[in-house]
Amino acid sequence: MPRHSQLPLPAVVRRLTAALAALCLLLAGQSSAAAARAHLSLVVAPSTVHVGASVSLSGRVSPSAKGVSLTVQRDVGKGWVTVARTRSGTAGRYAVVLRTGRTPSAWRLRVTSATASSAVSSVRVVKKIFVVQASAPSPVVAGQPMVVTGHVSPKAKGSVRLQVLRKSGWATVTTSTLSAASTFTVRASLPAGAYRLRVVKAFTATIAGGISQTVAVSVTVPPVIAPPVVTTTSLPAATVGLPYAATLSAVGGVGPLSWSLIGGLASGLTLASSGLITGTPLAAGSTTLTVSVSDAGGRTGSLPLVLTVSTSPVAANAAFAWGSNSKGQLGDGTTVDRSSPVGVSGLTGLVAMSSGGSTGYGLRFDGSVWAWGDNAYGEYGNGTTTSSAMPVRLTALTGVTAVAGGQASSYVLRSDGTVWASGYNGDGELGNGTTAGSLVLVRVDGLTGVTAITAGAASAYALRSDGTVWAWGDNAFGELGNNSITNSLSPVQVSGIVGATSIATAGSTAYAVVGGIAWAWGAGGRGQLGNGGTVSSTIPVQVTGLTGVKAVGATLSSGYALLADGTVAAWGENNDGDLGNGTTTDSSTPVVVTGLTGVTALAGGFTAYALRANGTVWAWGNNISGSIGDGTATNRLLPVQVSGLNRVVAIGSGSDAEGGYAISGRRAAP
């Protein structure tokens, strides 16, 4: 047996007591170490709040322990006061929400347990907090101001600071005063580079400052801008008396560009700063002018150009007329009918002619319009009803590109695409929304972009640049083509016609060419619609069997088509040989006009006319008052040549006209 087993009992007790004491001391030491290691974390968000808002406190007990009693304390100046209690939860986490009250102040908060205390966190309770919004365009060219705009809310006075982020931190670039609406605009210039900016509103004692979101701005190196260079290498030739227009062009520079001249333009022409040369030259000659262009930065470029002004080749074009002359419509100073062409007195430089009823019209190369014959309803448009057997000018109107005559009304197309009319208006022929006649030209309502005009007995038509056809006036037979028989005092669109390239009318039937196909509408009782029937139509119908149509023409009850091969087709009434096929039998479908080739233009009134490429004029059909022009009074069932005309460049006639007109270049200018 071991020796200690024989110790007396008191000694054993003493040893056990000592061991227990040592164990207690050891446990007590471990408990103290654990207490020393205990820790509380504290996070307060946000650090600045407005009165009445809430503050969130959160943290963790370390080492993790659930159910630890925690006290939230606030420093009130005289010591720490408990403002809330809670317990730690899972993983020792805790969260507490405090209301701030209604008084601005600075809070110091901490969280404690029986064995630990957190660090102290601060919260500012203020009346308001500024919110700053800012934006800026990017990129910005170096040297140009960088503009940052935005606003501060709630409304405030004072200023804001624009700051840029540098390696050392945020640096103030400039300041700007807030407007009455608390908006701001800050301008600054920075070298090329990439920047991050912000706008800062300073705080006051009771209102917290605000900082905008970061704004990214790129400042680029200014591009090297080349001076403008004139790219116009030549100017189109001009003609004395004719409207002229040319546009100068350039590349480079910074717009807007401004044009000027070193040296003068030809008399009658002007140069706009936009680079447009316009006007009507007054004298022939050749001029070298230097055009100069400047950009917004003051850079310039220049180039010498030659402008040649020549005498018009049509200046010698003379007018000829034949047929009925009861109202002086032949313009030869008499009222004697002529069965062969006679010269229209004193009128040269013609580019187009027309007639209507007993009035003749001529368009000169200078854009002026002249009239002769009947003026009972103010067809001249010169403010009178005085007729003349010699040409008189239609007011001082210029810039006219086409002329047409109705039965007692006249029409002109101006270079700006508008249409003007004068004369009788009982059926709305003037297209100005009334039925009141006018002795002066009035504008036809709403028409722009017009490229061609034609007139019937009491209705008129306009072809626009978009290929649509518009009509106004009498509509008894549906000749307005808008699916009605109601007159219209203003233009209405002809149904279904898009892409038209040619129009014509006479009497109460109208025609158009679309894609080489002829279309017709209005009166059709004599087969003049060309669709195989004799019924009128209020909408366009296709003329049967024709393709390759280049242009259309018309007499009172017959239609004509100029084909691509230079031949002519005809349909409708044929009592007087109107179809030119050697018979007097009507045809509601097209037949070939016999013997005509090389045709370049058509015209018609009571009689049909064709201009051939060799400069001769041919006529067939009714020979009332000598309207055939062959020196006889005999109707012609086949085309015959109009006597004595050559070098003809244009022909004309019109609704209810008992004769024809031709422009010939055989005469010299006076």
Side-chain angles (χ1 to χ4, degrees):
M1 168 179 263
R3 295 182 57 173
H4 65 263
S5 63
Q6 298 178 5
L7 291 175
L9 181 60
V12 172
V13 173
R14 285 196 302 271
R15 290 186 177 185
L16 289 174
T17 301
L20 289 172
L23 178 61
C24 288
L25 288 173
L26 176 62
L27 293 174
Q30 291 177 341
S31 176
S32 298
R37 291 195 302 271
H39 176 71
L40 286 173
S41 64
L42 173 62
V43 176
V44 179
S47 60
T48 302
V49 296
H50 59 78
V51 293
S54 298
V55 177
S56 297
L57 289 74
S58 61
R60 185 175 180 180
V61 177
S62 299
S64 300
K66 183 178 181 181
V68 176
S69 295
L70 301 173
T71 301
V72 180
Q73 295 181 329
R74 175 185 168 195
D75 184 0
V76 296
K78 297 180 180 180
W80 291 94
V81 176
T82 297
V83 292
R85 298 180 186 277
T86 187
R87 288 181 176 275
S88 61
T90 304
R93 299 184 185 280
Y94 70 90
V96 179
V97 176
L98 300 180
R99 298 288 291 182
T100 61
R102 297 293 178 180
T103 304
S105 59
W107 286 16
R108 298 178 70 246
L109 300 171
R110 70 180 184 183
V111 177
T112 64
S113 68
T115 59
S117 178
S118 72
V120 176
S121 293
S122 298
V123 176
R124 292 181 66 236
V125 181
V126 296
K127 288 183 178 180
K128 295 178 181 177
I129 300 175
F130 289 134
V131 176
V132 182
Q133 296 291 333
S135 62
S138 181
V140 178
V141 177
Q144 299 294 322
M146 175 191 304
V147 181
V148 183
T149 59
H151 66 275
V152 172
S153 57
K155 286 186 178 181
K157 297 180 179 180
S159 61
V160 293
R161 298 192 299 271
L162 176 64
Q163 297 182 332
V164 61
L165 181 60
R166 309 215 185 259
K167 290 183 178 180
S168 58
W170 291 96
T172 297
V173 177
T174 186
T175 62
S176 178
T177 303
L178 287 169
S179 71
S182 290
T183 61
F184 59 83
T185 299
V186 187
R187 288 179 170 83
S189 294
L190 295 172
Y195 297 93
R196 300 196 71 81
L197 306 172
R198 71 182 188 183
V199 177
V200 176
K201 175 69 177 78
F203 63 84
T204 66
T206 57
I207 301 180
I211 302 174
S212 74
Q213 74 279 15
T214 301
V215 179
V217 176
S218 175
V219 181
T220 61
V221 176
V224 177
I225 301 173
V229 176
V230 179
T231 55
T232 301
T233 57
S234 62
L235 292 172
T239 301
V240 174
L242 288 181
Y244 180 82
T247 302
L248 301 174
S249 61
V251 296
V254 176
L257 301 180
S258 179
W259 293 84
S260 60
L261 279 175
I262 302 173
L265 271 172
S267 177
L269 299 179
T270 59
L271 171 64
S273 61
S274 62
L276 180 62
I277 301 175
T278 57
T280 301
L282 303 178
S286 181
T287 305
T288 299
L289 50 98
T290 300
V291 295
S292 178
V293 60
S294 302
D295 74 351
R299 291 167 286 265
T300 63
S302 61
L303 187 73
L305 297 172
V306 176
L307 175 60
T308 300
V309 182
S310 60
T311 302
S312 172
V314 301
N317 284 356
F320 294 85
W322 61 96
S324 177
N325 197 25
S326 60
K327 300 290 185 178
Q329 59 263 48
L330 300 188
D332 66 345
T334 76
T335 55
V336 178
D337 294 350
R338 306 289 186 175
S339 60
S340 296
V342 294
V344 177
S345 298
L347 193 58
T348 58
L350 273 293
V351 294
M353 297 183 73
S354 181
S355 64
S358 299
T359 310
Y361 305 92
L363 172 62
R364 295 191 76 234
F365 72 96
D366 62 2
S368 63
V369 181
W370 299 71
W372 55 94
D374 193 15
N375 190 33
Y377 293 97
E379 292 94 323
Y380 291 6
N382 65 350
T384 76
T385 57
T386 303
S387 299
S388 174
M390 301 278 284
V392 296
R393 186 169 178 173
L394 269 73
T395 70
L397 189 67
T398 59
V400 176
T401 59
V403 60
Q407 188 175 38
S409 308
S410 63
Y411 305 87
V412 296
L413 169 61
R414 301 191 67 185
S415 57
D416 62 2
T418 60
V419 180
W420 299 70
S422 69
Y424 184 75
N425 196 28
D427 295 305
E429 292 96 323
L430 302 189
N432 66 339
T434 75
T435 56
S438 179
L439 304 182
V440 296
L441 292 168
V442 295
R443 183 173 174 178
V444 176
D445 287 345
L447 286 181
T448 58
V450 176
T451 60
I453 55 175
T454 186
S459 52
Y461 304 83
L463 171 61
R464 296 183 64 184
S465 57
D466 61 3
T468 58
V469 179
W470 296 72
W472 60 97
D474 187 29
N475 198 25
F477 295 94
E479 53 262 53
L480 301 189
N482 66 337
N483 200 28
S484 80
I485 55 172
T486 303
N487 294 356
S488 180
L489 308 184
S490 297
V492 295
Q493 187 173 351
V494 175
S495 300
I497 297 294
V498 179
T501 55
S502 174
I503 56 174
T505 185
S508 299
T509 310
Y511 305 90
V513 178
V514 179
I517 303 297
W519 295 78
W521 60 95
R526 299 302 296 270
Q528 60 265 49
L529 297 183
N531 65 339
T534 55
V535 178
S536 300
S537 178
T538 60
I539 59 173
V541 295
Q542 184 175 337
V543 176
T544 302
L546 291 182
T547 58
V549 178
K550 294 177 60 178
V552 282
T555 55
L556 289 180
S557 298
S558 306
Y560 304 87
L562 171 57
L563 304 181
D565 62 1
T567 62
V568 178
W571 58 93
E573 183 181 0
N574 198 26
N575 285 354
D576 301 311
D578 312 75
L579 304 188
N581 65 343
T583 77
T584 56
T585 303
D586 293 355
S587 177
S588 60
T589 57
V591 297
V592 176
V593 176
T594 304
L596 278 183
T597 59
V599 175
T600 60
L602 299 172
F606 274 88
T607 306
Y609 304 96
L611 171 62
R612 297 181 66 185
N614 62 4
T616 60
V617 180
W618 295 70
W620 63 97
N622 194 308
N623 197 18
I624 185 172
S625 304
S627 56
I628 291 290
D630 64 346
T632 76
T634 304
N635 293 348
R636 298 298 183 177
L637 307 186
L638 295 171
V640 296
Q641 185 174 349
V642 176
S643 302
L645 291 180
N646 54 56
R647 295 177 58 188
V648 174
V649 295
I651 57 175
S653 188
S655 187
D656 290 329
E658 299 175 357
Y661 297 91
I663 300 172
S664 173
R666 74 179 187 179
R667 284 185 175 178

